[in-house]
Amino acid sequence: MVTGDAAYIKKINRSLIIREIIKEGMISRADLSKSTNLTRATISAQVADLLAEGLIIETHLEHLTVGRKPIMLSLNGQAGYALGIDLDYGQISFTLTDLIGSPVTSNIIRISTVEYTEICHLLVEQIKKYKTEFNDSRYGIVGVVIAIHGLVGKDEIIHYVPRFNWHGINLISDLEREIDLPIHLENNANLSSFAERVYIHHETDNLLCTTLYSGIGLGMMMNDDFFRGNEGYAGEIGHMIVVPGGKPCNCGNKGCWEKYASETVIFEYLSEKRQIENLTYEHIQTWLDEGDEEVHEMMEQFIFYLSIGLNNMINMYNPDVLVLDSELLRIYPDSLNKITKNLNSSISHYRELMISTIGNKSCVLGACALAIKQFLDVPMLNLPYDITTNRIGSALIY
């Protein structure tokens, strides 16, 4: 039984109510009372507060039966915005969503520098633009979450970003001197796993999401929270050694998994071999469609080494759901079945292995969702996603 003072109990009840409204999309007061096990008096008082704050809205359902029209409650998505930022090597992606996670606008800015002061200045400039442009709602931008492709401690200090060669950076402090908004940092793979949990796998308690783009990262959602390790650096699975004495890695070891099973390996090799400076997925798709033997062999090798690491991960964590976030796997025919056939250990147990349906937007959308969660102060979100149309909320992923 939860005990505490009245204010604390009220906060817990508020959180339960908001989470249930988000989960159901639309719900009546009576059903809200049943699903939360709170009294109707408590529901009425809390709902009155949330309506006054503009966080929820009432809708009268039209129906043909005799009697009063039911009044349904839903989250007011237009009450504010969340800004997610993916700070990656060569580009910074920005996505702004409403409070139900539907994208409002997205933008990508290419960068040719790794200098911290330049990138920090660019972030300040862009965040201020968003803050000015989207101040038409009651709460404006409710929070900013920035995805970091490197080690972020529990104190949100950037310990190390390999491709930027950043060490011990306090980005939040530098941004907050210029911007009056709640700002948080999180590892990119963690945010991808959060997006998968929030938008797709609503009832999953143990979810792993492996991102395979510029390296290999692992985001772990366990019991509605990130698994971070002692200082917050858990998930650097790309530096698990799969080939002893193999290819040298920037981390200092040899034979790291990401030197064999990340998309970067294939892009770098084909770019150099075929003298194409800006190699794209479209190039690889064309070669696959044409039956290019070398590209097909590379993809088979990619899947072989990917399966080795996945087998280790499954045995270590025994996940409920394991999501693979890779555009190459999405375009390579029958890739999931080929991976599954390689996972034939009798002691490996998982319920579902799948390729992400959100795709490379999962990181920045996870950042938006985390900003929403922190603003609403709820333990977890279940936001709408239409898998048949590749739509988040009511807006197309773009």
Side-chain angles (χ1 to χ4, degrees):
M1 178 178 178
V2 178
T3 60
D5 61 27
Y8 178 65
I9 297 298
K10 184 176 181 180
K11 180 180 178 181
I12 292 175
N13 291 342
R14 176 190 173 95
S15 177
L16 286 172
I17 290 168
I18 293 175
R19 180 178 181 178
E20 198 65 24
I21 290 173
I22 297 172
K23 178 182 176 182
E24 296 301 324
M26 297 182 73
I27 189 171
S28 68
R29 287 170 172 81
D31 288 338
L32 196 54
S33 177
K34 293 176 184 177
S35 61
T36 60
N37 290 319
L38 296 174
T39 66
R40 294 201 175 192
T42 298
I43 295 294
S44 294
Q46 290 274 5
V47 165
D49 288 344
L50 292 170
L51 286 169
E53 294 169 24
L55 287 177
I56 64 174
I57 55 176
E58 292 181 317
T59 302
H60 292 263
L61 282 190
E62 299 293 337
H63 61 97
L64 300 177
T65 60
V66 177
R68 295 180 60 185
K69 298 175 182 177
I71 299 175
M72 308 298 285
L73 305 170
S74 58
L75 187 70
N76 181 9
Q78 307 306 309
Y81 303 97
L83 179 59
I85 302 173
D86 184 6
L87 176 55
D88 200 359
Y89 181 80
Q91 67 178 41
I92 306 176
S93 302
F94 300 82
T95 290
L96 190 89
T97 70
D98 62 19
L99 290 188
I100 58 172
S102 297
V104 175
T105 184
S106 292
N107 184 35
I108 295 177
I109 296 179
R110 308 292 176 183
I111 55 174
S112 57
T113 180
V114 296
E115 289 297 322
Y116 174 71
T117 53
E118 294 181 41
I119 291 176
C120 185
H121 176 74
L122 177 59
L123 288 171
V124 168
E125 183 181 68
Q126 292 300 313
I127 294 171
K128 283 183 175 180
K129 285 183 179 179
Y130 279 101
K131 184 180 179 183
T132 300
E133 184 175 354
F134 293 93
N135 63 355
D136 57 338
S137 64
R138 178 160 182 170
Y139 294 97
I141 294 179
V142 301
V144 180
V145 173
I146 304 174
I148 303 297
H149 292 244
L151 301 180
V152 180
K154 290 180 178 178
D155 56 3
E156 298 188 76
I157 300 295
I158 299 174
H159 176 68
Y160 180 47
V161 180
R163 302 193 76 180
F164 289 175
N165 198 29
W166 290 357
H167 297 267
I169 298 292
N170 193 341
L171 177 60
I172 290 181
S173 177
D174 291 336
L175 292 178
E176 287 183 340
R177 278 198 291 268
E178 302 287 337
I179 302 164
D180 182 23
L181 285 174
I183 300 174
H184 295 278
L185 305 184
E186 187 54 76
N187 171 265
N188 67 299
N190 280 349
L191 291 173
S192 290
S193 69
F194 189 67
E196 296 291 341
R197 168 61 182 83
V198 166
Y199 286 110
I200 309 294
H201 303 280
H202 292 166
E203 305 305 323
T204 300
D205 288 330
N206 294 282
L207 179 147
L208 303 182
C209 179
T210 304
T211 58
L212 304 172
Y213 297 108
S214 57
I216 298 180
L218 176 64
M220 295 176 278
M221 293 296 303
M222 296 185 178
N223 299 319
D224 289 346
D225 202 359
F226 296 119
F227 179 80
R228 302 179 186 275
N230 182 44
E231 295 181 325
Y233 306 141
E236 291 300 314
I237 201 75
H239 298 287
M240 169 177 59
I241 295 174
V242 296
V243 181
K247 299 176 183 177
C249 180
N250 292 336
C251 77
N253 281 325
K254 294 181 179 180
C256 290
W257 191 28
E258 67 178 39
K259 302 304 291 184
Y260 297 85
S262 69
E263 292 191 353
T264 298
V265 173
I266 292 179
F267 271 85
E268 288 180 349
Y269 175 83
L270 290 175
S271 180
E272 182 178 353
K273 180 76 178 293
R274 306 196 177 190
Q275 297 297 296
I276 300 176
E277 184 175 351
N278 296 311
L279 188 72
T280 66
Y281 291 107
E282 286 72 23
H283 287 107
I284 296 177
Q285 179 76 75
T286 299
W287 294 328
L288 289 173
D289 293 342
E290 293 173 348
D292 189 300
E293 186 174 338
E294 181 182 37
V295 177
H296 276 273
E297 286 181 0
M298 288 195 71
M299 286 301 301
E300 291 296 320
Q301 192 80 341
F302 173 65
I303 284 176
F304 170 75
Y305 282 111
L306 178 58
S307 301
I308 292 175
L310 292 178
N311 184 75
N312 293 339
M313 283 171 47
I314 291 167
N315 287 334
M316 281 189 287
Y317 295 108
N318 181 215
D320 181 28
V321 175
L322 176 54
V323 182
L324 308 177
D325 192 359
S326 163
E327 186 64 26
L328 287 181
L329 293 180
R330 278 186 284 274
I331 67 177
Y332 190 55
D334 207 30
S335 59
L336 191 59
N337 284 334
K338 291 178 179 180
I339 293 170
T340 302
K341 288 178 181 178
N342 289 334
L343 303 177
N344 49 25
S345 170
S346 61
I347 62 172
S348 293
H349 291 89
Y350 60 94
R351 180 174 63 82
E352 185 177 10
L353 173 69
M354 64 177 294
I355 297 172
S356 173
T357 55
I358 303 178
N360 58 13
K361 295 293 185 183
S362 63
C363 174
V364 72
L365 286 170
C368 292
L370 186 58
I372 295 169
K373 174 183 178 294
Q374 291 167 338
F375 170 68
L376 295 176
D377 195 18
V378 292
M380 183 48 67
L381 297 171
N382 287 355
L383 298 177
Y385 173 75
D386 186 347
I387 192 172
T388 61
T389 59
N390 199 34
R391 290 175 182 268
I392 293 289
S394 59
L396 181 65
I397 303 177
Y398 49 93

